[in-house]
Every structure is written in structure tokens, then in C-alpha cells.
């Protein structure tokens, strides 16, 4: 336990192992969709989908471990939804950059991230943002994730007149509604591991409904796909142009505010924000994000960010305590 306390900040007087395991597994389950979504989006650029799956998993593991060790905060990091779409559809398709050139941009952006974090620029930006805007950013990200979930479940669909409308009551939509109701009821009754149990319950009842797809074999484990098709495939051709500078500046602004807003919201949820609004070890948290982004680009993956889904694990920890 002393090793955990020194390395990860585990306090045996206030925490217990079971609570932390349940909270960690819950966070993983709520954000594991990125293992499918990220390769799907980035593979539209011509990148190898199997290699992207491995890169996404490694980038998420590496950046989350860095955050846990460096900042000792109960948050998880992985390639973000949004930046990966910007990478695939704006940089590669709209701007006609190759995915190798786009990875080179992300790599340099990560280096710039590290530099501005090292010189406390990002921390100064955080301190200059009004309190209400800090929380608005995290609330907006949460609404965006909720919108994606409702859309993927088919509960809401596109509509040419109202833009968004209710979808049909398909098995997937019904299962999504059941998951929301189950989670809400268990959390309202303050059941320990509410979200974890809701995810497991929903997965099980999805089997007879035909929504949960079982693997073809009883032991669905295989060797990870090789990273060689995308690892360190940088192309710096035409790098020093105005378009490249504009794209890099856009990535920096989006990632800075994304990270700042998410960390502020999660810290408030975890009850670790100080009275003056400052977050302990925020510099280390931002540095782990910057290093994770740089390593992700080397692996052949999109920008890493702190996941708002970490709130699910924080809720489990708080309820269990």
C-alpha cells in the first residue's frame, strides 16, 4: 500500500481497493467506445485499421498511466472524439493533406504543447478563464458526449425540418432507454457501483434482444495488430507554410480549452478544486496530456485528451465512500 500511496497517491485511510477497482473498470467501460470509433474515423484517410486499434489502446494506456503517476488524479486519457474527426475530415479530406503530413503536424503540436506547459503558459491561460466559462466548457463537452450516445443508440435521429427528432423504437433504442433508466435509478438510490452494474445488466439483457453481439469463439483474444503501417510515418513536406501554421494554431486552441474545461469539471466533481479555483498538480496533468499527444502521434494516432467519462468512475468512488 505504501508503494501505491507514493506512486499513485492511494490513501488507505480514505480509500479502499475494491472501490478503486470498480471505479476504474467503470471508467474503462464508459470510454472504451473509442477503441472502435477512433480506428473507424481515422481509417477513412487510408490508415491501417488494425494498426489504429493497437495505437489507440497504447496511447490511452500510456497517457492515463502518465496522468496517474505524474498528477495523481483519478482521470483517464485517450485519443479524443472531435480532434480525430478534424484530423480525418478537415486536415486529410478538406485540406488534402496526407495522413503522414497530418501526423507530422500532431507531433510538432505535441512538442509545442510540452513547451508551453513547461513554461506555465497553459496554467496562465487556465487562471485567466472566468469561472463560469471553465464549467461551461466541461458541461458542453458532456452534452456533446450525451448527444453522441443518444444518436448511436438511435434514440434521436436527424430531421431536415427540426434538425433532431425522436427515432423509432428499435431494439437498440429500447436498450439505450433501459440503460439510462437503470443507471438513473441505481444512482438515485446511491447503490455502490451503480454505473458498473447498469452497464453489465444492459449488456446481458442486450443478448436476447439481438443488440449485444457475442464473439464467435469462447476465448476471443488474439495477438495485437502490428504498428508498422503507421508507426513514425511522418512527412514534413510543405510543413513551413501558412496553412500548416493555421492548422497547428487551431489544434492548439481546441486542445487547450478541451483539456482545461474537462480537468476543471472533473476536479470539481472529485472535490479536489481549491477554494481559489486552482487545481492541485494541474501543471503535471497538462504535461501528461502533452506528452501523451506527442507519443500518440509517434504511434500513428490522433490527439490525446482527458475524458469527461472519467466522471463515471469518480461517481462510483464517491458513492462507495
Amino acid at each position: 500500500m505504501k508503494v501505491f500511496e507514493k506512486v499513485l497517491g492511494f490513501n488507505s485511510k480514505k480509500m479502499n481497493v475494491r472501490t478503486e477497482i470498480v471505479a476504474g473498470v467503470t471508467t474503462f467501460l464508459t470510454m472504451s467506445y473509442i477503441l472502435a470509433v477512433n480506428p473507424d474515423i481515422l481509417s477513412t484517410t487510408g490508415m491501417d485499421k488494425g494498426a489504429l486499434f493497437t495505437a489507440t489502446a497504447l496511447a490511452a494506456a500510456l497517457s492515463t498511466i502518465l496522468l496517474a503517476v505524474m498528477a495523481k488524479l483519478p482521470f483517464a486519457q485517450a485519443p479524443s472524439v472531435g480532434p480525430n474527426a478534424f484530423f480525418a475530415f478537415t486536415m486529410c479530406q478538406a485540406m488534402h493533406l496526407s495522413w503522414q503530413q497530418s501526423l507530422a503536424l500532431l507531433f510538432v503540436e505535441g512538442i509545442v504543447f510540452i513547451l508551453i506547459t513547461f513554461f506555465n503558459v497553459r496554467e496562465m491561460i487556465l487562471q485567466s478563464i472566468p469561472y463560469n466559462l471553465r464549467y461551461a466548457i466541461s458541461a458542453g463537452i458532456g452534452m456533446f458526449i450525451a448527444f453522441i450516445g443518444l444518436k448511436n443508440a438511435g434514440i434521436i435521429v436527424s430531421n431536415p425540418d427540426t434538425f433532431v427528432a425522436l427515432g423509432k423504437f428499435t431494439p437498440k433504442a429500447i436498450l439505450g432507454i433501459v440503460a439510462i433508466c437503470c443507471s438513473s435509478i441505481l444512482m438515485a438510490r446511491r447503490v455502490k457501483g451503480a454505473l458498473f452494474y447498469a452497464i453489465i445488466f444492459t449488456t446481458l439483457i442486450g443478448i436476447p434482444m439481438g443488440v449485444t453481439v457475442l464473439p464467435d469463439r469462447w476465448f476471443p483474444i488474439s495477438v495485437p495488430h502490428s504498428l508498422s503501417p503507421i508507426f513514425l510515418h511522418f512527412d514534413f513536406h510543405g510543413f513551413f507554410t501558412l496553412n500548416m501554421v493555421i492548422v497547428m494554431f487551431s489544434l492548439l486552441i481546441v486542445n487547450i480549452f478541451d483539456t482545461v474545461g474537462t480537468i476543471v469539471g472533473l476536479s470539481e466533481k472529485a472535490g479536489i478544486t481549491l477554494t481559489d479555483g486552482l487545481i492541485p498538480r494541474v501543471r503535471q496533468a497538462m504535461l501528461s496530456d502533452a506528452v501523451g499527444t506527442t507519443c500518440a502521434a509517434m504511434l500513428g494516432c490522433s490527439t490525446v485528451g482527458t475524458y469527461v467519462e472519467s466522471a463515471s468512475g469518480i461517481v462510483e468512488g464517491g458513492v462507495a465512500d
Side-chain angles (χ1 to χ4, degrees):
M1 291 301 177
K2 291 184 178 180
V3 176
F4 288 156
E5 183 175 357
K6 182 178 180 180
V7 177
L8 302 175
F10 180 84
N11 189 340
S12 57
K13 296 181 180 179
K14 299 180 179 179
M15 307 174 185
N16 63 76
V17 176
R18 177 189 175 279
T19 298
E20 301 306 312
I21 292 176
V22 171
V25 172
T26 302
T27 298
F28 170 77
L29 291 175
T30 56
M31 63 181 288
S32 60
Y33 65 89
I34 197 62
L35 292 171
V37 172
N38 202 52
D40 278 343
I41 293 176
L42 295 185
S43 62
T44 61
T45 65
M47 303 175 74
D48 184 88
K49 195 171 184 178
L52 284 169
F53 182 90
T54 303
T56 301
L58 289 176
L62 176 62
S63 56
T64 300
I65 291 173
L66 283 174
L67 179 64
V69 175
M70 295 173 61
K72 295 178 176 57
L73 293 173
F75 311 150
Q77 293 183 327
S80 300
V81 176
N84 57 6
F86 184 82
F87 179 100
F89 305 128
T90 300
M91 295 172 65
C92 293
Q93 296 184 18
M95 300 185 66
H96 305 292
L97 298 175
S98 67
W99 60 265
Q100 293 90 340
Q101 289 176 307
S102 299
L103 284 179
L105 266 174
L106 292 184
F107 177 72
V108 176
E109 178 213 4
I111 299 297
V112 175
F113 254 7
I114 294 175
L115 291 176
I116 65 175
T117 304
F118 181 78
F119 291 106
N120 291 331
V121 176
R122 292 176 77 180
E123 193 170 351
M124 288 188 288
I125 293 175
L126 169 60
Q127 296 176 11
S128 65
I129 300 175
Y131 290 152
N132 56 348
L133 184 56
R134 299 183 193 180
Y135 299 120
I137 295 173
S138 57
I141 295 172
M143 293 179 65
F144 175 66
I145 298 298
F147 185 88
I148 292 176
L150 293 173
K151 177 180 177 295
N152 290 342
I155 298 175
I156 58 175
V157 295
S158 60
N159 185 285
D161 298 322
T162 61
F163 187 71
V164 176
L166 287 175
K168 297 180 179 180
F169 283 95
T170 62
K172 181 187 291 186
I174 294 174
L175 186 62
I177 295 172
V178 170
I180 294 173
C181 294
C182 181
S183 302
S184 301
I185 293 172
L186 292 177
M187 290 182 64
R189 297 182 65 86
R190 299 189 65 81
V191 175
K192 295 182 179 180
L195 292 176
F196 175 76
Y197 294 136
I199 292 172
I200 298 299
F201 174 72
T202 305
T203 302
L204 291 176
I205 65 174
I207 297 175
M209 295 177 67
V211 179
T212 301
V213 180
L214 296 176
D216 296 331
R217 49 185 179 176
W218 289 103
F219 196 65
I221 297 178
S222 60
V223 178
H225 294 272
S226 173
L227 286 172
S228 58
I230 59 176
F231 182 69
L232 293 178
H233 281 241
F234 297 138
D235 181 3
F236 292 94
H237 177 71
F239 187 80
F240 297 100
T241 61
L242 180 60
N243 283 341
M244 292 293 196
V245 174
I246 292 174
V247 172
M248 185 178 300
F249 181 76
S250 300
L251 286 170
L252 281 171
I253 294 299
V254 170
N255 291 331
I256 286 174
F257 280 92
D258 185 3
T259 302
V260 166
T262 304
I263 289 179
V264 168
L266 292 175
S267 298
E268 184 72 18
K269 186 70 176 178
I272 56 178
T273 304
L274 300 181
T275 54
D276 57 358
L278 297 178
I279 302 169
R281 301 179 297 278
V282 66
R283 182 183 178 187
Q284 291 87 335
M286 291 182 174
L287 184 59
S288 67
D289 174 81
V291 175
T293 294
T294 306
C295 293
M298 296 171 65
L299 291 170
C301 202
S302 56
T303 304
V304 164
T306 306
Y307 264 52
V308 73
E309 285 86 352
S310 303
S312 61
I314 294 172
V315 168
E316 295 305 319
V319 171
D321 288 337

